[in-house]
């Protein structure tokens, strides 16, 4: 009996299914890869553009940017597309992926620069999906300091794309002397950090008055400046100038820089503009107007065929207007983002959808689809009830009309002689 029990126990244990292993890192990476792949597919928008100002317009498919799109890489590709140096085929396709575009750009670089080492530019290309490390100098619209191996600047150089910015200090301003010494953004920020350190964190603080509790009697925060060495005092004064410049140019564009771009760029130029830590396509229109326009690539304008360019008229976008392919002021069809500038429309979209995960976005899309189907069913049911009610009323009207007609016929029908009543 005991042997049978032991045998039964062994068979039972052997028959139990193994416990499911926890999700592996490979599976987690696979899910992340799927999400990344979905995020790296962008919609294409058809526009018309004149590569030759004196020639006829031609049709192009430009790449639109979603709220998580790589603006640097998309700007590079759109410039090459409008220059007809790369072409997305077939023309009827609606979307394009990073893998497809990266192959196009790599093939163009290898063909355009056969005798040049393009390894630095090709190696930096995958990093453009998450942004580019660009360090502008405040003293020139085309001046940037290379970061790391300098692959970012090599990519623009070997693609033949001019990289510009308008974050320039006015030579007549009090900040010019300081910024002409620090020159670039990174060096200026480093000086800010050093000055904040020597002031024990008093430089980068709120301007609101604070309690002096804990300080020595008779000593205020301003008295602490007198304990600094002359070199430290000079560093703090320079840092205050830098902070003032950065705080008054939050869009990374100044009016002096805007005027400099308008005067330095050649008519018909297509360049990459660094602004607001983003890259966009900048175009200077030919003719006497010579206005500056940025390509409206935000996905919120995908179906707004009249919104192609945004005129760059001020530093914060308050006076910017949208124009169509002929650079005529456009009248968007409307919607949730009517009246927005390109930047504010993208910010509104980010605020609306930025907190949603991929699964939540899919659930939201499914909910909208189900709601739309329910609304359609309701409309069909209402229309069916209306038709049935109308048919019922029509039948009743026909019956009433027939009854009246019979009564009339009976009233006017002449009586026969035999139809007399015998009393």
């Amino acid at each position: 009996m005991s042997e049978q029990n032991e045998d039964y126990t062994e068979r039972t244990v052997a028959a139990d299914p193994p416990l499911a292993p926890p999700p592996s890192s490979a599976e987690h990476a696979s899910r992340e890869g799927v999400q990344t792949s979905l995020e790296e597919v962008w919609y294409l928008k058809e526009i018309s553009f004149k590569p030759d100002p004196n020639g006829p317009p031609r049709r192009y498919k430009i790449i639109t940017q979603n709220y998580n799109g790589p603006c640097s890489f998309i700007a590079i590709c759109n410039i090459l597309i409008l220059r007809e140096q790369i072409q997305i085929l077939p023309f009827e396709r609606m979307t394009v992926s990073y893998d497809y575009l990266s192959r196009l750009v790599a093939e163009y670089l290898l063909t355009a620069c056969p005798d040049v080492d393009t390894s630095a530019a090709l190696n930096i290309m995958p990093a453009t999906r998450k942004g580019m490390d660009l360090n502008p100098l405040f003293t020139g619209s085309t001046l940037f300091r290379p970061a790391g191996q300098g692959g970012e600047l090599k990519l623009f150089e070997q693609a033949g794309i001019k990289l510009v910015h308008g974050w320039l200090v006015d030579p007549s301003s009090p900040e010019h002397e300081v910024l002409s010494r620090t020159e670039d953004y990174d060096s200026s920020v480093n000086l800010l950090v050093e000055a904040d350190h020597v002031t024990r964190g008093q430089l980068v603080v709120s301007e609101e008055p604070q309690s002096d509790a804990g300080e020595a009697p008779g000593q205020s925060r301003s008295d602490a400046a007198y304990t600094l060495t002359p070199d430290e005092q000079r560093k703090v004064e320079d840092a205050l100038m830098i902070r003032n410049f950065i705080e008054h140019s939050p869009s990374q564009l100044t009016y002096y820089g805007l005027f400099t771009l308008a005067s330095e760029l050649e008519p018909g130029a297509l360049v990459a503009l660094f602004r607001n830590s983003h890259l966009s396509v900048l175009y200077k229109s030919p003719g006497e107007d010579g206005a500056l326009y940025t390509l409206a690539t935000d996905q919120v304008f995908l179906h707004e065929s009249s919104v192609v360019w945004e005129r760059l008229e001020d530093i914060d976008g308050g006076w910017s207007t949208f124009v169509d392919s002929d650079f005529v002021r456009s009248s968007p069809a409307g919607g949730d983002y009517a009246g927005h500038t390109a930047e504010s429309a993208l910010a509104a979209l980010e605020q609306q959808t930025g907190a949603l995960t991929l699964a939540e976005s899919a659930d939201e899309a499914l909910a909208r689809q189900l709601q739309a189907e329910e609304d359609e069913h309701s409309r069909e049911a209402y229309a069916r009830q209306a038709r049935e009610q109308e048919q019922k009323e029509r039948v009743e009207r026909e019956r009433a009309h027939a009854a009246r007609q019979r009564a009339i016929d009976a009233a006017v029908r002449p009586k026969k002689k035999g139809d007399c009543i015998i009393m």
Side-chain angles (χ1 to χ4, degrees), residues 255-329:
Y255 278 109
Y256 178 77
L258 184 59
F259 297 147
T260 300
L261 289 173
S263 61
E264 290 183 350
L265 291 179
E266 295 292 332
L270 279 168
V271 300
L273 173 66
F274 174 79
R275 179 192 179 195
N276 269 340
S277 300
H278 287 273
L279 280 184
S280 57
V281 178
L282 181 66
Y283 176 72
K284 183 176 181 179
S285 62
E288 297 180 357
D289 184 17
L292 299 178
Y293 298 90
T294 56
L295 189 63
T297 58
D298 299 323
Q299 191 173 306
V300 292
F301 303 121
L302 177 64
H303 302 294
E304 294 280 6
S305 59
S306 64
V307 176
V308 180
W309 302 91
E310 182 182 6
R311 183 160 177 158
L312 188 59
E313 299 181 276
D314 60 3
I315 62 175
D316 56 8
W319 292 94
S320 297
T321 54
F322 294 117
V323 298
D324 58 17
S325 295
D326 297 320
F327 298 95
V328 177
R329 185 166 182 169

Side-chain angles (χ1 to χ4, degrees), residues 206-392:
S206 173
E207 296 294 337
E208 297 179 0
Q210 301 181 20
S211 172
D212 293 336
E215 296 179 353
Q219 182 183 19
S220 65
R221 292 182 184 271
S222 60
D223 293 334
Y226 295 102
T227 64
L228 301 176
T229 67
D231 288 342
E232 291 174 337
Q233 182 69 28
R234 171 78 178 275
K235 181 175 292 185
V236 171
E237 292 172 354
D238 290 349
L240 290 173
M241 287 289 185
I242 293 172
R243 187 182 69 173
N244 183 68
F245 174 77
I246 293 177
E247 287 181 348
H248 286 81
S249 54
S251 64
Q252 299 175 347
L253 178 67
T254 64
Y255 278 109
Y256 178 77
L258 184 59
F259 297 147
T260 300
L261 289 173
S263 61
E264 290 183 350
L265 291 179
E266 295 292 332
L270 279 168
V271 300
L273 173 66
F274 174 79
R275 179 192 179 195
N276 269 340
S277 300
H278 287 273
L279 280 184
S280 57
V281 178
L282 181 66
Y283 176 72
K284 183 176 181 179
S285 62
E288 297 180 357
D289 184 17
L292 299 178
Y293 298 90
T294 56
L295 189 63
T297 58
D298 299 323
Q299 191 173 306
V300 292
F301 303 121
L302 177 64
H303 302 294
E304 294 280 6
S305 59
S306 64
V307 176
V308 180
W309 302 91
E310 182 182 6
R311 183 160 177 158
L312 188 59
E313 299 181 276
D314 60 3
I315 62 175
D316 56 8
W319 292 94
S320 297
T321 54
F322 294 117
V323 298
D324 58 17
S325 295
D326 297 320
F327 298 95
V328 177
R329 185 166 182 169
S330 62
S331 299
D336 294 338
Y337 303 100
H340 282 273
T341 65
E343 292 176 356
S344 63
L346 184 59
L349 180 64
E350 288 177 343
Q351 184 177 6
Q352 177 182 344
T353 61
L356 295 180
T357 64
L358 188 65
E360 290 170 340
S361 298
D363 292 341
E364 183 184 36
L366 179 60
R368 290 178 179 176
Q369 179 183 353
L370 294 175
Q371 183 62 45
E373 292 175 355
E374 183 177 352
D375 293 342
E376 181 64 24
H377 291 329
S378 298
R379 285 192 293 269
E380 291 177 355
Y382 179 82
R384 184 170 59 253
Q385 291 176 358
R387 288 194 301 269
E388 292 174 353
Q389 182 66 22
E390 182 181 359
Q391 183 177 3
K392 181 179 179 180

Side-chain angles (χ1 to χ4, degrees), residues 77-96:
C77 291
N78 280 329
I79 291 176
L80 296 178
I81 289 171
L82 295 178
R83 289 181 179 176
E84 300 184 348
Q85 292 168 329
I86 63 173
Q87 187 178 10
I88 297 175
L89 296 174
F91 187 81
E92 293 75 19
R93 70 185 301 161
M94 305 298 293
T95 60
V96 70

Side-chain angles (χ1 to χ4, degrees), residues 14-301:
D16 288 340
L19 295 175
S24 64
S25 58
E27 292 175 347
H28 182 68
S30 177
R31 295 193 191 101
E32 290 184 345
V34 171
Q35 181 169 349
T36 302
S37 299
L38 291 174
E39 292 175 350
E40 292 181 349
V41 175
W42 309 296
Y43 286 98
L44 299 174
K45 178 180 179 179
E46 180 178 343
I47 68 168
S48 63
F49 177 70
K50 291 182 179 180
D52 179 4
N54 299 320
R58 304 189 63 177
R59 295 189 307 155
Y60 298 91
K61 282 288 190 71
I62 63 169
I63 307 158
T64 63
Q65 177 187 350
N66 55 31
Y67 59 88
N68 200 29
C71 61
S72 306
F73 186 68
I74 289 177
I76 291 172
C77 291
N78 280 329
I79 291 176
L80 296 178
I81 289 171
L82 295 178
R83 289 181 179 176
E84 300 184 348
Q85 292 168 329
I86 63 173
Q87 187 178 10
I88 297 175
L89 296 174
F91 187 81
E92 293 75 19
R93 70 185 301 161
M94 305 298 293
T95 60
V96 70
S97 66
Y98 167 78
D99 292 337
Y100 177 86
L101 290 173
S102 62
R103 286 195 298 269
L104 284 183
V105 175
E107 291 172 2
Y108 169 73
L109 292 177
L110 294 173
T111 304
C113 310
D115 301 325
V116 177
D117 182 10
T118 59
S119 58
L122 295 175
N123 290 337
I124 201 65
M125 199 182 303
T128 61
R129 294 179 293 179
K130 302 300 182 182
M132 302 184 73
D133 188 4
L134 297 175
N135 183 21
L137 276 71
F138 300 120
T139 53
S141 64
T142 60
L143 300 180
F144 291 84
R145 284 266 164 79
Q149 301 298 321
E152 294 91 343
L153 301 184
K154 285 293 184 182
L155 178 58
F156 288 96
E157 176 187 342
Q158 294 172 1
I161 296 175
K162 190 174 185 179
L163 179 63
V164 301
H165 73 94
W167 203 4
L168 302 180
V169 59
D170 190 335
S172 63
S173 67
E175 298 92 352
H176 181 266
E177 191 273 333
V178 177
L179 292 173
S180 63
R181 284 189 279 111
T182 57
E183 293 187 335
D184 62 83
Y185 173 76
D186 288 350
S187 300
S188 300
V189 171
N190 288 338
L191 192 147
L192 272 175
V193 174
E194 293 173 4
D196 189 59
H197 175 71
V198 300
T199 59
R200 299 181 181 180
Q202 299 306 309
L203 183 69
V204 187
V205 294
S206 173
E207 296 294 337
E208 297 179 0
Q210 301 181 20
S211 172
D212 293 336
E215 296 179 353
Q219 182 183 19
S220 65
R221 292 182 184 271
S222 60
D223 293 334
Y226 295 102
T227 64
L228 301 176
T229 67
D231 288 342
E232 291 174 337
Q233 182 69 28
R234 171 78 178 275
K235 181 175 292 185
V236 171
E237 292 172 354
D238 290 349
L240 290 173
M241 287 289 185
I242 293 172
R243 187 182 69 173
N244 183 68
F245 174 77
I246 293 177
E247 287 181 348
H248 286 81
S249 54
S251 64
Q252 299 175 347
L253 178 67
T254 64
Y255 278 109
Y256 178 77
L258 184 59
F259 297 147
T260 300
L261 289 173
S263 61
E264 290 183 350
L265 291 179
E266 295 292 332
L270 279 168
V271 300
L273 173 66
F274 174 79
R275 179 192 179 195
N276 269 340
S277 300
H278 287 273
L279 280 184
S280 57
V281 178
L282 181 66
Y283 176 72
K284 183 176 181 179
S285 62
E288 297 180 357
D289 184 17
L292 299 178
Y293 298 90
T294 56
L295 189 63
T297 58
D298 299 323
Q299 191 173 306
V300 292
F301 303 121

